[in-house]
Amino acid sequence: MDPEISILYCSPTPLGIPQQKVHVQLSPLYQRRRLPPPLEERILVDWEERQRKQPWVFNGAKFRLHSVLPEGDKKETGNKESTKRDGGEERGESEATLDEGRGLTLHLALTCYRDFLGTNWSGEAHALQERGGQEFGDTQAYLAQPLGVGAALQCKDGRFVMLRRSHRVGEAPGLLDVPGGHPEPKAVAPNVPEEELSLEVLKPELVIRELFSSILAEIRDEVNLPLSTLSEPLLLGIARNHTSAGRPSAEFYVKCSLTSEDVKERYLQGGPEAHESTEIIFLEKEDLLTIENSEMWKELCPSAKGCVKLYLMVREQKS
């Protein structure tokens, strides 16, 4: 396994998990542990300093992933990696086949961008992980752990979409990535001011809907594709990015009804988030199957590596 990534959860079926098989449990027990003074206060001080230097930065709410509980299991998967999956040959993606698979429950709370910068993205992240492991038996206890989303997006002609990240973005500039971003708690409770968001106003079924719809919205905005051309997302699993202290990302498989030429044409027209990337690249399926042993693997940012790894493990049954 590439040291930049690990797999927290992998779909036990060779297709991926549909939305109706994914559940969420919201609880304050899944919040980040507050650091003892003065460490917690330092997060606030550093954030205020960042805002003075970059007044356009704002502190948005995010979902915090604490752990995952696969259906039928009694023990949750949190700070330990799990790559267990069922074997079997790939079958057609009928509703009956998808319904045969086991689902999972995500244990979520709320966090924010400020806390992500002050924990996962800070120079003290490794020390915080050690402290969390010693004090709570959970290396991620003190970390924000905002849940991201990404997609293995396959065109009608079988080619996969990669985007070259702009040099203006703060993370992994110039590297290849898959379309992705974050599900937004604000989208679940649009009438509640961001600073007043709490677990009490979030409905679990709407959180799951936002998780699955957010990846489609990211593809729409980054690649400029109509939602009507995109299939329902199937959850491949959850990968962790160790260049940001194990930050989790839910990775999906999405099919597009357009050919790669049509996708390229729409991308070049520019979408709402066109500034985040500078180039679109298409990979043949045969090249994707061997990408881990190619020079291109070094060009992938960790989030893309996690998504590709899960696609290979789930859809292609490659370890």
Side-chain angles (χ1 to χ4, degrees):
M1 184 77 70
D2 188 302
E4 291 187 342
I5 61 170
S6 63
I7 304 303
L8 178 66
Y9 174 80
C10 179
S11 168
T13 69
L15 300 177
I17 304 173
Q19 180 175 332
Q20 62 266 27
K21 287 284 187 176
V22 181
H23 310 284
V24 66
Q25 185 178 74
L26 303 169
S27 171
L29 295 176
Y30 305 142
Q31 300 280 75
R32 176 180 72 86
R33 297 275 187 168
R34 287 182 60 85
L35 287 158
L39 297 177
E40 191 69 33
E41 286 71 17
R42 182 177 172 181
I43 294 176
L44 298 176
V45 171
D46 289 347
W47 173 252
E48 291 171 355
E49 179 62 23
R50 179 181 290 270
Q51 284 190 308
R52 279 193 290 270
K53 294 178 179 178
Q54 301 173 318
W56 58 87
V57 173
F58 69 97
N59 184 28
K62 304 296 177 189
F63 291 108
R64 180 181 193 267
L65 179 67
H66 174 273
S67 51
V68 175
L69 183 63
E71 192 174 285
D73 286 7
K74 295 181 179 179
K75 188 174 182 181
E76 64 190 24
T77 300
N79 60 341
K80 295 180 180 179
E81 286 102 42
S82 173
T83 57
K84 184 187 297 183
R85 67 185 190 283
D86 296 336
E89 297 179 359
E90 186 165 333
R91 299 163 288 176
E93 292 181 24
S94 66
E95 289 186 11
T97 299
L98 291 172
D99 285 342
E100 289 173 7
R102 291 184 293 135
L104 77 156
T105 297
L106 304 177
H107 295 160
L108 299 178
L110 287 174
T111 187
C112 62
Y113 182 58
R114 177 198 64 207
D115 287 3
F116 165 70
L117 292 178
T119 58
N120 289 73
W121 201 239
S122 78
E124 303 299 319
H126 182 66
L128 294 180
Q129 287 180 303
E130 286 190 343
R131 185 166 189 159
Q134 293 169 358
E135 297 179 2
F136 303 106
D138 178 5
T139 58
Q140 309 306 98
Y142 284 123
L143 304 187
Q145 295 296 89
L147 180 63
V149 292
L153 175 62
Q154 189 173 27
C155 303
K156 184 178 180 179
D157 51 16
R159 303 170 86 191
F160 287 83
V161 173
M162 290 279 179
L163 302 175
R164 177 82 62 185
R165 291 176 63 83
S166 168
H167 283 280
R168 296 181 179 180
V169 298
E171 192 173 348
L175 296 181
L176 292 176
D177 202 358
V178 296
H182 294 87
E184 302 293 345
K186 185 73 177 74
V188 179
N191 297 323
V192 179
E194 186 110 23
E195 62 276 7
E196 296 179 16
L197 282 172
S198 65
L199 296 178
E200 288 72 24
V201 302
L202 302 178
K203 296 182 178 180
E205 63 272 19
L206 297 183
V207 172
I208 289 299
R209 183 189 301 174
E210 166 61 11
L211 176 65
F212 276 74
S213 64
S214 65
I215 186 55
L216 298 179
E218 293 291 350
I219 295 171
R220 177 197 63 200
D221 295 344
E222 294 182 7
V223 194
N224 196 32
L225 299 180
L227 293 177
S228 60
T229 67
L230 304 176
S231 69
E232 291 296 319
L234 294 172
L235 179 65
L236 300 172
I238 298 173
R240 294 174 62 185
N241 178 350
H242 291 289
T243 67
S244 52
R247 178 181 51 176
S249 182
E251 307 297 347
F252 296 87
Y253 173 75
V254 177
K255 239 189 153 170
C256 179
S257 62
L258 302 177
T259 67
S260 55
E261 283 301 314
D262 293 332
V263 170
K264 183 176 182 179
E265 182 179 345
R266 293 199 61 89
Y267 171 81
L268 293 175
Q269 292 172 7
E273 296 181 3
H275 62 282
E276 294 184 1
S277 65
T278 59
E279 180 184 11
I280 189 168
I281 293 173
F282 297 96
L283 287 180
E284 300 289 349
K285 183 176 179 179
E286 294 74 17
D287 295 328
L288 194 71
L289 294 178
T290 59
I291 193 172
E292 289 179 278
N293 300 317
S294 72
E295 286 299 310
M296 179 173 278
W297 184 254
K298 300 175 184 177
E299 291 191 64
L300 269 58
C301 65
S303 56
K305 289 179 178 178
C307 184
V308 170
K309 184 66 178 178
L310 278 166
Y311 170 83
L312 295 175
M313 293 171 67
V314 176
R315 302 283 299 195
E316 303 298 334
Q317 296 289 289
K318 290 170 66 71
S319 60

